[in-house]
Amino acid sequence: MTLTAKGAGTDELVIAARPQRSWGLPVALDLSLQGAGAGLIAVAALFDLGSLLLGGLLAIMLSVALLMGHLGRPERFWRAASRPRTSWISRGVLLVGALVAVSVFALLAPIAGSVAAVAVRTTLLVLAALVMVYTGAVTSASAIPAWNSGLVPLLAFAYSLATGTGAALAVVAATSTGGEKLMLLQEAQLLLLAACFLVVLGYLWSLAFSSSRTARQSGRLLVRGRLALPFLGGALLLGVVVPFGLTAYAVALTGGGIALALALSGAARLAGDFALRFSLLRAGLYEPLL
Amino acid sequence: MTRYGMVIDLAACNACNTCTVTCKVKNGTPPGVHWRRVLEDEVGVYPSVRRLFLPLACMHCGTPPCETTCPTGATQKREDGIVTIDYDLCVGCQACVVACPYGVRFFHEDRRSYFADRGSPVPWPLEGQALPEGVVSKCDLCLDRVLDGRQPACVENCPTSALHFGDLGDPRSGVCLLIAARKGRQLFREKGTDPSVYYVD
């Protein structure tokens, strides 16, 4: 078989790299909200900010509702938990279910005892971290070369945690619930955003030098093609650079502008996180068959 | 052990799409759902141009990525090698569509029809089970016909005998002899999916 394939095309009846069309806007929103909610719960557990739990829980519940809309047969959603040994979707359903259950428990029955409270917070932290990783791993298990990268779960984890931290910062600054914690969160956010930037660069590097021509094509779509605006403008500029500048500005401020700066930073994070998920999903291409 | 599979003779295929139409007629798949289709391409520069045809359907992989990705167990590999979907278990998450490197799985979103005011996508009684909405579907090698000892509809109707069906587990079967004689090759063999469909030139 000495056949060669032509360049990219979108027609399903042509031998060429095909764009995936199965997962789009609803899935991007779902993964983004799920990651942000888990990030917020992780921050709440790590910094002992119980008031943030509700926000994280609501974000996750909203993501579940969006996922139901995406499913062809939502009335059977519970069946999706039956194959955790091999399916990332099953693992995600179980992890999200456990995270919601423990969060509800922590909200309804706050534990005062030190050992039990630490156990609940640790459980929340571990589950939230796994959910954040899941939001990337679920796309890694696919036939799409650009998604088959260990950097995708790492990217999802970093972005989710930074979005959760951004939302936590906005709430903490608005409600003035802790000066020391606010400063700690701000410093953590600056580090997280720097990490996000590095992981994005690493991911783009891995695409650019991938042995798969299709993965390189996906990389070009993200940087120079039709997805450059949502990816570079949304995921990188709005999602990383702008929040970094606003958070650094808030660190330097001492007056009343902090809450506004951090609220804007949190909103930019949310938008940037969504832009990242959306552009990565849209950049997904299947390899040409010949 | 029986392992049903197919050999496709690319030299014999002239892209008449009889297999595509036969599949639609037999299974009543709606618009946009092509369990079997023929991909086309052109290579070379005028005047040295060649057209390429690639008949394509589910590969019924030995290690199907769609099966491991399916969160409900709706996609299953039978002992005879045929990969099937249980429509009663499928939730329509489309993880299998994304996991399949061959692009042969289709999400059936709504009840579309080729004919106005008809519930069925075809104006005659279906030979097999009607395709429900909100699930993923694909070629099942005409399982009902195979269980009756018949060949898949596309194989039976191919006018150029480009499609060959048989038992890959029997080294004396026609398909195995064809693979050995003409150096049959699998698509994306390097991915480790071990397709049950071989192509010969």
Side-chain angles (χ1 to χ4, degrees):
Chain A
M1 205 179 297
T2 53
L3 310 178
T4 54
K6 279 204 315 186
T10 54
D11 196 320
E12 283 190 348
L13 300 177
V14 171
I15 305 167
R18 293 171 295 114
Q20 77 81 23
R21 297 191 184 96
S22 305
W23 290 352
L25 198 75
V27 176
L29 261 175
D30 164 57
L31 294 178
S32 182
L33 277 171
Q34 217 162 72
L40 195 53
I41 290 173
V43 173
L46 200 61
F47 288 86
D48 198 14
L49 294 164
S51 57
L52 298 178
L53 268 182
L54 185 62
L57 196 56
L58 287 175
I60 288 182
M61 299 304 278
L62 186 58
S63 79
V64 171
L66 280 168
L67 186 63
M68 292 293 170
H70 164 73
L71 291 180
R73 302 301 292 257
E75 74 277 11
R76 302 172 184 163
F77 81 96
W78 53 274
R79 288 192 186 277
S82 49
R83 293 291 166 110
R85 279 183 59 206
T86 57
S87 165
W88 267 105
I89 288 190
S90 283
R91 290 170 195 157
V93 170
L94 292 172
L95 286 170
V96 169
L99 183 61
V100 167
V102 179
S103 300
V104 169
F105 173 75
L107 273 172
L108 296 180
I111 298 167
S114 61
V115 177
V118 168
V120 170
R121 280 171 55 195
T122 307
T123 309
L124 279 174
L125 192 60
V126 170
L127 286 172
L130 289 173
V131 168
M132 287 187 272
V133 170
Y134 154 74
T135 62
V138 71
T139 55
S140 293
S142 70
I144 290 163
W147 298 355
N148 279 329
S149 162
L151 286 173
V152 173
L154 185 64
L155 195 55
F157 178 81
Y159 260 66
S160 298
L161 194 55
T163 307
T165 309
L169 272 170
V171 174
V172 170
T175 54
S176 306
T177 46
E180 251 183 57
K181 282 178 182 170
L182 182 68
M183 188 52 76
L184 265 175
L185 274 170
Q186 284 174 327
E187 286 167 2
Q189 179 69 331
L190 290 175
L191 284 173
L192 274 171
L193 291 170
C196 285
F197 189 76
L198 290 176
V199 179
V200 168
L201 286 188
Y203 178 64
L204 287 177
W205 180 274
S206 75
L207 289 184
F209 293 97
S210 168
S211 58
S212 158
R213 193 175 60 173
T214 311
R216 296 198 299 275
Q217 203 174 328
S218 290
R220 283 196 295 276
L221 275 177
L222 289 171
V223 178
R224 297 201 297 263
R226 59 187 164 82
L227 294 167
L229 184 65
F231 185 72
L232 295 180
L236 210 55
L237 185 67
L238 193 61
V240 177
V241 178
V242 169
F244 190 92
L246 286 168
T247 309
Y249 177 66
V251 169
L253 277 181
T254 51
I258 295 177
L260 179 64
L262 292 177
L264 288 174
S265 170
R269 269 304 313 160
L270 277 172
D273 195 313
F274 168 71
L276 176 88
R277 316 281 181 161
F278 177 75
S279 39
L280 286 191
L281 289 181
R282 284 287 182 220
L285 298 171
Y286 297 97
E287 285 184 88
L289 288 167
L290 288 175
Chain B
M1 193 168 160
T2 304
R3 181 183 174 186
Y4 288 120
M6 205 177 261
V7 178
I8 298 175
D9 187 346
L10 293 177
C13 178
N14 63 6
C16 66
N17 273 294
T18 301
C19 55
T20 309
V21 175
T22 300
C23 179
K24 286 207 152 284
V25 170
K26 192 266 173 184
N27 297 298
T29 53
V33 176
H34 311 288
W35 289 358
R36 175 163 282 288
R37 63 197 198 274
V38 182
L39 306 187
E40 296 187 25
D41 202 0
E42 290 172 10
V43 289
V45 180
Y46 178 84
S48 303
V49 181
R50 258 196 331 152
R51 290 186 75 195
L52 306 176
F53 307 125
L54 184 73
L56 188 72
C58 176
M59 298 284 157
H60 297 278
C61 300
T63 49
C66 52
E67 187 196 27
T68 50
T69 314
C70 176
T72 66
T75 294
Q76 285 169 0
K77 188 167 163 286
R78 291 164 45 92
E79 283 198 352
D80 58 14
I82 298 178
V83 178
T84 58
I85 299 175
D86 185 338
Y87 297 141
D88 293 332
L89 293 181
C90 180
V91 290
C93 66
Q94 302 179 65
C96 57
V97 181
V98 174
C100 174
Y102 304 102
V104 290
R105 289 181 157 251
F106 295 88
F107 179 58
H108 183 207
E109 203 162 357
D110 48 25
R111 186 172 295 205
R112 286 175 290 169
S113 170
Y114 287 106
F115 306 93
D117 306 325
R118 284 184 194 273
S120 167
V122 287
W124 49 77
L126 290 176
E127 206 179 303
Q129 182 190 358
L131 187 60
E133 294 166 53
V135 297
V136 170
S137 68
K138 67 165 192 74
C139 157
D140 63 356
L141 275 178
C142 289
L143 183 60
D144 51 339
R145 294 170 66 103
V146 171
L147 292 178
D148 280 350
R150 298 159 73 193
Q151 297 215 318
C154 54
V155 176
E156 202 169 87
N157 286 284
C158 177
T160 62
S161 297
L163 307 180
H164 304 266
F165 173 76
D167 181 5
L168 296 174
D170 176 5
R172 291 165 303 174
S173 68
V175 282
C176 281
L177 294 175
L178 197 55
I179 290 166
R182 294 178 60 186
K183 296 188 174 66
R185 296 174 69 172
Q186 299 159 303
L187 284 182
F188 289 149
R189 190 181 178 188
E190 70 281 5
K191 291 189 186 296
T193 51
D194 187 20
S196 297
V197 175
Y198 285 74
Y199 290 85
V200 294
D201 283 318

